[in-house]
PDB file of all heavy atoms in Angstrom:
ATOM      1  N   VAL A 637     129.561 169.384 124.295  1.00 94.00           N
ATOM      2  CA  VAL A 637     130.746 169.878 123.639  1.00 94.00           C
ATOM      3  C   VAL A 637     131.050 169.167 122.302  1.00 94.00           C
ATOM      4  O   VAL A 637     131.335 169.792 121.304  1.00 94.00           O
ATOM      5  CB  VAL A 637     132.019 169.761 124.642  1.00 94.00           C
ATOM      6  CG1 VAL A 637     133.332 170.014 123.887  1.00 94.00           C
ATOM      7  CG2 VAL A 637     131.849 170.679 125.869  1.00 94.00           C
ATOM      8  N   ALA A 638     130.718 167.892 122.372  1.00 95.00           N
ATOM      9  CA  ALA A 638     131.032 167.124 121.065  1.00 95.00           C
ATOM     10  C   ALA A 638     130.061 167.391 119.990  1.00 95.00           C
ATOM     11  O   ALA A 638     130.402 167.615 118.844  1.00 95.00           O
ATOM     12  CB  ALA A 638     131.022 165.584 121.406  1.00 95.00           C
ATOM     13  N   ARG A 639     128.729 167.409 120.453  1.00 96.00           N
ATOM     14  CA  ARG A 639     127.690 167.589 119.332  1.00 96.00           C
ATOM     15  C   ARG A 639     127.352 169.060 119.046  1.00 96.00           C
ATOM     16  O   ARG A 639     126.690 169.290 118.081  1.00 96.00           O
ATOM     17  CB  ARG A 639     126.405 166.843 119.841  1.00 96.00           C
ATOM     18  CG  ARG A 639     126.622 165.346 119.983  1.00 96.00           C
ATOM     19  CD  ARG A 639     125.229 164.672 119.892  1.00 96.00           C
ATOM     20  NE  ARG A 639     125.501 163.099 120.038  1.00 96.00           N
ATOM     21  CZ  ARG A 639     124.603 162.274 119.572  1.00 96.00           C
ATOM     22  NH1 ARG A 639     123.381 162.596 119.142  1.00 96.00           N
ATOM     23  NH2 ARG A 639     124.857 160.939 119.772  1.00 96.00           N
ATOM     24  N   LYS A 640     127.796 169.920 119.890  1.00 95.00           N
ATOM     25  CA  LYS A 640     127.503 171.389 119.660  1.00 95.00           C
ATOM     26  C   LYS A 640     125.976 171.583 119.597  1.00 95.00           C
ATOM     27  O   LYS A 640     125.486 172.314 118.855  1.00 95.00           O
ATOM     28  CB  LYS A 640     128.242 171.988 118.456  1.00 95.00           C
ATOM     29  CG  LYS A 640     129.728 171.965 118.544  1.00 95.00           C
ATOM     30  CD  LYS A 640     130.302 172.737 117.482  1.00 95.00           C
ATOM     31  CE  LYS A 640     131.770 173.045 117.614  1.00 95.00           C
ATOM     32  NZ  LYS A 640     132.684 171.892 117.886  1.00 95.00           N
ATOM     33  N   ARG A 641     125.281 170.805 120.440  1.00 95.00           N
ATOM     34  CA  ARG A 641     123.825 170.879 120.516  1.00 95.00           C
ATOM     35  C   ARG A 641     123.376 171.003 121.941  1.00 95.00           C
ATOM     36  O   ARG A 641     124.098 170.545 122.937  1.00 95.00           O
ATOM     37  CB  ARG A 641     123.149 169.566 119.894  1.00 95.00           C
ATOM     38  CG  ARG A 641     123.363 169.426 118.505  1.00 95.00           C
ATOM     39  CD  ARG A 641     122.529 170.324 117.673  1.00 95.00           C
ATOM     40  NE  ARG A 641     122.657 170.094 116.180  1.00 95.00           N
ATOM     41  CZ  ARG A 641     123.596 170.619 115.479  1.00 95.00           C
ATOM     42  NH1 ARG A 641     124.576 171.370 116.048  1.00 95.00           N
ATOM     43  NH2 ARG A 641     123.750 170.379 114.133  1.00 95.00           N
ATOM     44  N   TYR A 642     122.192 171.615 122.165  1.00 95.00           N
ATOM     45  CA  TYR A 642     121.617 171.739 123.527  1.00 95.00           C
ATOM     46  C   TYR A 642     120.732 170.722 123.945  1.00 95.00           C
ATOM     47  O   TYR A 642     119.992 170.109 123.135  1.00 95.00           O
ATOM     48  CB  TYR A 642     120.939 173.224 123.568  1.00 95.00           C
ATOM     49  CG  TYR A 642     121.910 174.352 123.462  1.00 95.00           C
ATOM     50  CD1 TYR A 642     122.208 174.869 122.152  1.00 95.00           C
ATOM     51  CD2 TYR A 642     122.484 174.902 124.545  1.00 95.00           C
ATOM     52  CE1 TYR A 642     123.044 175.980 121.956  1.00 95.00           C
ATOM     53  CE2 TYR A 642     123.307 175.991 124.438  1.00 95.00           C
ATOM     54  CZ  TYR A 642     123.616 176.498 123.126  1.00 95.00           C
ATOM     55  OH  TYR A 642     124.523 177.621 123.038  1.00 95.00           O
ATOM     56  N   ALA A 643     120.714 170.502 125.309  1.00 97.00           N
ATOM     57  CA  ALA A 643     119.794 169.571 125.871  1.00 97.00           C
ATOM     58  C   ALA A 643     118.396 170.238 126.033  1.00 97.00           C
ATOM     59  O   ALA A 643     118.343 171.415 126.333  1.00 97.00           O
ATOM     60  CB  ALA A 643     120.222 169.092 127.247  1.00 97.00           C
ATOM     61  N   HIS A 644     117.348 169.435 125.804  1.00 96.00           N
ATOM     62  CA  HIS A 644     116.011 169.985 126.087  1.00 96.00           C
ATOM     63  C   HIS A 644     115.096 168.743 126.398  1.00 96.00           C
ATOM     64  O   HIS A 644     115.324 167.529 126.071  1.00 96.00           O
ATOM     65  CB  HIS A 644     115.360 170.702 124.916  1.00 96.00           C
ATOM     66  CG  HIS A 644     115.220 169.774 123.735  1.00 96.00           C
ATOM     67  ND1 HIS A 644     114.009 169.257 123.366  1.00 96.00           N
ATOM     68  CD2 HIS A 644     116.023 169.386 122.723  1.00 96.00           C
ATOM     69  CE1 HIS A 644     113.995 168.477 122.311  1.00 96.00           C
ATOM     70  NE2 HIS A 644     115.363 168.514 121.825  1.00 96.00           N
ATOM     71  N   LEU A 645     114.071 169.083 127.196  1.00 96.00           N
ATOM     72  CA  LEU A 645     113.105 168.020 127.541  1.00 96.00           C
ATOM     73  C   LEU A 645     112.308 167.691 126.267  1.00 96.00           C
ATOM     74  O   LEU A 645     111.739 168.535 125.612  1.00 96.00           O
ATOM     75  CB  LEU A 645     112.137 168.652 128.603  1.00 96.00           C
ATOM     76  CG  LEU A 645     110.896 167.812 128.840  1.00 96.00           C
ATOM     77  CD1 LEU A 645     111.262 166.489 129.510  1.00 96.00           C
ATOM     78  CD2 LEU A 645     109.929 168.607 129.714  1.00 96.00           C
ATOM     79  N   SER A 646     112.338 166.372 125.993  1.00 94.00           N
ATOM     80  CA  SER A 646     111.471 165.860 124.979  1.00 94.00           C
ATOM     81  C   SER A 646     110.328 165.085 125.532  1.00 94.00           C
ATOM     82  O   SER A 646     110.459 163.793 125.857  1.00 94.00           O
ATOM     83  CB  SER A 646     112.272 164.947 123.968  1.00 94.00           C
ATOM     84  OG  SER A 646     111.492 164.353 122.979  1.00 94.00           O
ATOM     85  N   ALA A 647     109.283 165.753 125.844  1.00 83.00           N
ATOM     86  CA  ALA A 647     108.108 165.185 126.745  1.00 83.00           C
ATOM     87  C   ALA A 647     107.590 164.031 126.026  1.00 83.00           C
ATOM     88  O   ALA A 647     107.183 162.968 126.729  1.00 83.00           O
ATOM     89  CB  ALA A 647     107.113 166.276 127.024  1.00 83.00           C
ATOM     90  N   SER A 648     107.343 164.069 124.749  1.00 85.00           N
ATOM     91  CA  SER A 648     106.799 162.943 124.052  1.00 85.00           C
ATOM     92  C   SER A 648     107.581 161.666 124.229  1.00 85.00           C
ATOM     93  O   SER A 648     106.980 160.578 124.207  1.00 85.00           O
ATOM     94  CB  SER A 648     106.595 163.315 122.519  1.00 85.00           C
ATOM     95  OG  SER A 648     107.812 163.745 121.979  1.00 85.00           O
ATOM     96  N   ASP A 649     108.895 161.756 124.143  1.00 83.00           N
ATOM     97  CA  ASP A 649     109.715 160.577 124.336  1.00 83.00           C
ATOM     98  C   ASP A 649     110.092 160.249 125.763  1.00 83.00           C
ATOM     99  O   ASP A 649     110.781 159.240 126.054  1.00 83.00           O
ATOM    100  CB  ASP A 649     111.131 160.755 123.525  1.00 83.00           C
ATOM    101  CG  ASP A 649     110.731 161.054 121.994  1.00 83.00           C
ATOM    102  OD1 ASP A 649     109.774 160.432 121.475  1.00 83.00           O
ATOM    103  OD2 ASP A 649     111.467 161.945 121.470  1.00 83.00           O
ATOM    104  N   GLY A 650     109.753 161.227 126.686  1.00 91.00           N
ATOM    105  CA  GLY A 650     110.065 160.941 128.086  1.00 91.00           C
ATOM    106  C   GLY A 650     111.572 160.911 128.320  1.00 91.00           C
ATOM    107  O   GLY A 650     112.052 160.205 129.102  1.00 91.00           O
ATOM    108  N   GLU A 651     112.368 161.831 127.682  1.00 96.00           N
ATOM    109  CA  GLU A 651     113.755 161.888 127.842  1.00 96.00           C
ATOM    110  C   GLU A 651     114.211 163.341 127.668  1.00 96.00           C
ATOM    111  O   GLU A 651     113.489 164.267 127.302  1.00 96.00           O
ATOM    112  CB  GLU A 651     114.445 161.002 126.828  1.00 96.00           C
ATOM    113  CG  GLU A 651     114.183 161.523 125.296  1.00 96.00           C
ATOM    114  CD  GLU A 651     114.947 160.734 124.351  1.00 96.00           C
ATOM    115  OE1 GLU A 651     115.005 159.443 124.435  1.00 96.00           O
ATOM    116  OE2 GLU A 651     115.457 161.298 123.342  1.00 96.00           O
ATOM    117  N   ILE A 652     115.578 163.469 128.031  1.00 97.00           N
ATOM    118  CA  ILE A 652     116.265 164.723 127.661  1.00 97.00           C
ATOM    119  C   ILE A 652     117.013 164.501 126.420  1.00 97.00           C
ATOM    120  O   ILE A 652     117.793 163.528 126.357  1.00 97.00           O
ATOM    121  CB  ILE A 652     117.176 165.134 128.781  1.00 97.00           C
ATOM    122  CG1 ILE A 652     116.436 165.587 129.994  1.00 97.00           C
ATOM    123  CG2 ILE A 652     118.043 166.304 128.273  1.00 97.00           C
ATOM    124  CD1 ILE A 652     117.257 165.995 131.181  1.00 97.00           C
ATOM    125  N   SER A 653     116.664 165.092 125.314  1.00 97.00           N
ATOM    126  CA  SER A 653     117.359 164.997 124.018  1.00 97.00           C
ATOM    127  C   SER A 653     118.457 166.171 123.799  1.00 97.00           C
ATOM    128  O   SER A 653     118.196 167.255 124.251  1.00 97.00           O
ATOM    129  CB  SER A 653     116.370 165.068 122.847  1.00 97.00           C
ATOM    130  OG  SER A 653     115.373 164.124 123.003  1.00 97.00           O
ATOM    131  N   VAL A 654     119.561 165.764 123.262  1.00 97.00           N
ATOM    132  CA  VAL A 654     120.626 166.733 123.099  1.00 97.00           C
ATOM    133  C   VAL A 654     120.737 167.011 121.554  1.00 97.00           C
ATOM    134  O   VAL A 654     121.624 166.477 120.875  1.00 97.00           O
ATOM    135  CB  VAL A 654     121.980 166.266 123.637  1.00 97.00           C
ATOM    136  CG1 VAL A 654     122.975 167.349 123.494  1.00 97.00           C
ATOM    137  CG2 VAL A 654     121.794 165.901 125.082  1.00 97.00           C
ATOM    138  N   ASP A 655     119.671 167.692 121.021  1.00 93.00           N
ATOM    139  CA  ASP A 655     119.644 167.817 119.565  1.00 93.00           C
ATOM    140  C   ASP A 655     119.145 169.307 119.104  1.00 93.00           C
ATOM    141  O   ASP A 655     118.755 169.432 117.948  1.00 93.00           O
ATOM    142  CB  ASP A 655     118.877 166.772 118.817  1.00 93.00           C
ATOM    143  CG  ASP A 655     117.435 166.646 119.323  1.00 93.00           C
ATOM    144  OD1 ASP A 655     117.046 167.556 120.178  1.00 93.00           O
ATOM    145  OD2 ASP A 655     116.652 165.872 118.707  1.00 93.00           O
ATOM    146  N   SER A 656     119.158 170.190 120.040  1.00 91.00           N
ATOM    147  CA  SER A 656     118.673 171.601 119.701  1.00 91.00           C
ATOM    148  C   SER A 656     119.862 172.432 119.242  1.00 91.00           C
ATOM    149  O   SER A 656     120.962 172.454 119.829  1.00 91.00           O
ATOM    150  CB  SER A 656     118.096 172.249 120.972  1.00 91.00           C
ATOM    151  OG  SER A 656     116.754 171.782 121.154  1.00 91.00           O
ATOM    152  N   ASN A 657     119.659 173.198 118.141  1.00 89.00           N
ATOM    153  CA  ASN A 657     120.563 174.130 117.668  1.00 89.00           C
ATOM    154  C   ASN A 657     120.740 175.373 118.622  1.00 89.00           C
ATOM    155  O   ASN A 657     121.768 176.032 118.668  1.00 89.00           O
ATOM    156  CB  ASN A 657     120.304 174.637 116.264  1.00 89.00           C
ATOM    157  CG  ASN A 657     120.484 173.551 115.220  1.00 89.00           C
ATOM    158  OD1 ASN A 657     121.348 172.730 115.382  1.00 89.00           O
ATOM    159  ND2 ASN A 657     119.533 173.509 114.291  1.00 89.00           N
ATOM    160  N   ILE A 658     119.574 175.696 119.182  1.00 89.00           N
ATOM    161  CA  ILE A 658     119.612 176.874 120.172  1.00 89.00           C
ATOM    162  C   ILE A 658     118.673 176.434 121.357  1.00 89.00           C
ATOM    163  O   ILE A 658     117.835 175.631 121.215  1.00 89.00           O
ATOM    164  CB  ILE A 658     118.890 178.090 119.495  1.00 89.00           C
ATOM    165  CG1 ILE A 658     117.591 177.775 118.839  1.00 89.00           C
ATOM    166  CG2 ILE A 658     119.827 178.796 118.467  1.00 89.00           C
ATOM    167  CD1 ILE A 658     116.743 178.860 118.294  1.00 89.00           C
TER     168      ILE A 658
END
Side-chain angles (χ1 to χ4, degrees):
V637 171
R639 296 204 179 197
K640 295 186 170 55
R641 293 287 182 276
Y642 290 91
H644 67 99
L645 168 67
S646 177
S648 54
D649 303 321
E651 65 176 38
I652 294 179
S653 307
V654 186
D655 61 356
S656 278
N657 291 325
I658 50 173

